[in-house]
Amino acid sequence: MQKTREPKTLIAEGPVIVLVEPQLGENIGMVARAMANFGLAQLRLVNPRDGWPNDKARSAASRADHVIDAVEVFETLEAAIADLQYVCATTARPREIIMPVLGPTEAAGKLRQLHVSGVRTGILFGRERWGLENEELSLCDAIVTFPVNPAFASLNIAQAVLLVSYEWLKTANLPPLFAEEIVPAKRENIAGLVEHVIGSLKETSYFHPPEKQERMEQTIRTILTRPGFSDREVRTLRGVVASLERRWLKNTRKDEG
């Protein structure tokens, strides 16, 4: 009597994979295949060069159709990560931005604990030719680097996703990291706080000299992104900034009078 094969359970969970301005559809497809191999399923694209949908991507995905069918496309990186609460950025090169630097094993462990805690997480992967810009890195909580040969440190995007995905699947039994009441705020709320602070500082002529404004703004973004604020803490800080704004405006009017 022939045995009936039991259907295999499809693992589909974990952090969102975000590709920033990917070029070739084949690369996107190979990323989707790597994700499916190790249980990841949410893929977001920021301004894919050849548009979406892409037949070459589906072909290269080798039947990872559940990943391809669920792809989401965004015009900006900020929109792509707006609903996420913790974001890692992958890069093989040292950067000027000061933030935690994790190896793939350490990063996967933290992402798993956050995921179990109910925190929405994501991992950014940059352009095939030059990766991520400093401004994009400053939107993230941590950098992930790979222990590769320093004389040949170039990984293609599918290889990088494969490494992270493999490490992710190895962490299946880690406990939660956060209690429910202190989970980190969404990126859109952090972005709102950052813009509120920077807008207020512009009103008070804080950015001086003008040629250093861009670097100073980037530093502020990094500082406010790093702590892992909760939504309640973000609301409190915005209330503090608003109070300072009202006081500054009151003093300005008094001086003018």
Side-chain angles (χ1 to χ4, degrees), residues 50-58 68 73:
D50 296 335
W52 193 263
N54 188 301
D55 291 338
K56 292 181 179 179
R58 184 174 293 277
I68 294 295
V73 181

Side-chain angles (χ1 to χ4, degrees), residues 121-142:
T121 64
I123 313 171
L124 303 190
F125 294 84
R127 303 158 186 85
E128 288 94 329
R129 290 188 178 181
W130 70 87
L132 295 164
E133 304 285 357
N134 281 351
E135 292 78 11
E136 295 162 340
L137 291 173
S138 69
L139 300 175
C140 303
D141 297 281

Side-chain angles (χ1 to χ4, degrees), residues 60-175:
S62 187
R63 299 196 303 277
D65 293 328
H66 64 290
V67 178
I68 294 295
D69 291 340
V71 165
E72 297 177 277
V73 181
F74 297 84
E75 293 185 2
T76 67
L77 175 57
E78 289 83 355
I81 64 174
D83 64 328
L84 305 181
Q85 296 158 279
Y86 183 88
V87 181
C88 292
T90 58
T91 177
R93 293 172 291 179
R95 301 283 183 160
E96 297 177 358
I97 296 176
I98 299 174
M99 66 173 61
V101 178
L102 311 175
T105 302
E106 184 183 4
K110 181 158 190 175
L111 288 166
R112 173 69 71 172
Q113 291 182 297
L114 291 167
H115 172 74
V116 174
S117 300
V119 175
R120 295 275 292 163
T121 64
I123 313 171
L124 303 190
F125 294 84
R127 303 158 186 85
E128 288 94 329
R129 290 188 178 181
W130 70 87
L132 295 164
E133 304 285 357
N134 281 351
E135 292 78 11
E136 295 162 340
L137 291 173
S138 69
L139 300 175
C140 303
D141 297 281
I143 289 174
V144 180
T145 61
F146 303 100
V148 295
N149 181 355
F152 195 78
S154 177
L155 290 174
N156 68 41
I157 192 170
Q159 290 173 324
V161 172
L162 182 72
L163 286 173
V164 171
S165 302
Y166 170 70
E167 294 294 342
W168 160 259
L169 194 60
K170 287 166 56 180
T171 63
N173 298 315
L174 290 179

Side-chain angles (χ1 to χ4, degrees), residues 183-194:
V183 296
K186 293 180 180 179
R187 309 315 296 175
E188 59 185 345
N189 295 336
I190 295 292
L193 171 63
V194 170

